[in-house]
Amino acid sequence: MTTTIATAKTSSTTQTAAGSTGTKSLADRARPAVLAVFRAVVSFLFLCHGVMGFGLLGGIDNAGGAFPFGQWPGYWASLIEVVGAVLVFAGLFTRVSAIVLSGVMAYAYFTVHAPQGLFPVHNMGEPAALYAWIFLAIAVVGPGAASLDQLRRR
């Protein structure tokens, strides 16, 4: 009797698995759109972070302060952040741009925040650490739907 039940369960599982090979789950169908929205939201927030180096949105000191033209590394980091955020938002050269932005944020974390304390919660480095890992994830998974990279490949 136990063998009959086990055989029945196995054959129904096999039929279900075989019957569903042509259909995708809702999560699989939504993945490209969710990635595209994630990419757009993250890059918009990062763009806001980048333009602060040019004195916008309160600037680097919340009083409209900006990095002087050409000052290393602040001015150049802000420029890379703005250009990279626009490229990631558009989904153009997404993986390369995301790798560069991940590196910029890792550099910022280790040169600015880590010397202030061991843990990101203590050294105010949580945003830098999160952006570094988020952009690394975007570089690995790609841009999702509605990207200029898709149009470029056609």
Side-chain angles (χ1 to χ4, degrees):
M1 170 115 176
T2 306
T3 306
T4 308
I5 294 171
T7 305
K9 284 183 180 179
T10 304
S11 57
S12 69
T13 304
T14 306
Q15 287 176 341
T16 303
S20 66
T21 55
T23 62
K24 287 179 145 182
S25 70
L26 178 60
D28 288 335
R29 289 191 314 266
R31 184 173 290 120
V34 170
L35 287 173
V37 171
F38 178 75
R39 182 191 83 232
V41 169
V42 166
S43 59
F44 173 75
L45 294 172
F46 195 68
L47 177 65
C48 293
H49 173 79
V51 299
M52 289 175 71
F54 298 114
L56 302 171
L57 300 178
I60 56 176
D61 57 1
N62 286 327
F67 292 112
F69 180 80
Q71 180 188 29
W72 178 260
Y75 176 84
W76 298 103
S78 296
L79 185 62
I80 292 168
E81 290 169 3
V82 168
V83 171
V86 169
L87 289 172
V88 171
F89 184 86
L92 183 61
F93 306 111
T94 307
R95 291 179 191 263
V96 172
S97 300
I99 284 286
V100 169
L101 294 178
S102 178
V104 166
M105 288 291 92
Y107 175 84
Y109 179 79
F110 287 111
T111 61
V112 176
H113 299 286
Q116 305 297 320
L118 180 61
F119 296 108
V121 71
H122 295 142
N123 65 25
M124 306 297 288
E126 288 175 288
L130 282 171
Y131 276 126
W133 285 103
I134 289 168
F135 283 119
L136 183 61
I138 289 172
V140 170
V141 300
S147 70
L148 292 178
D149 285 338
Q150 285 181 335
L151 293 176
R152 216 172 35 93
R153 285 187 214 124
R154 288 182 187 180

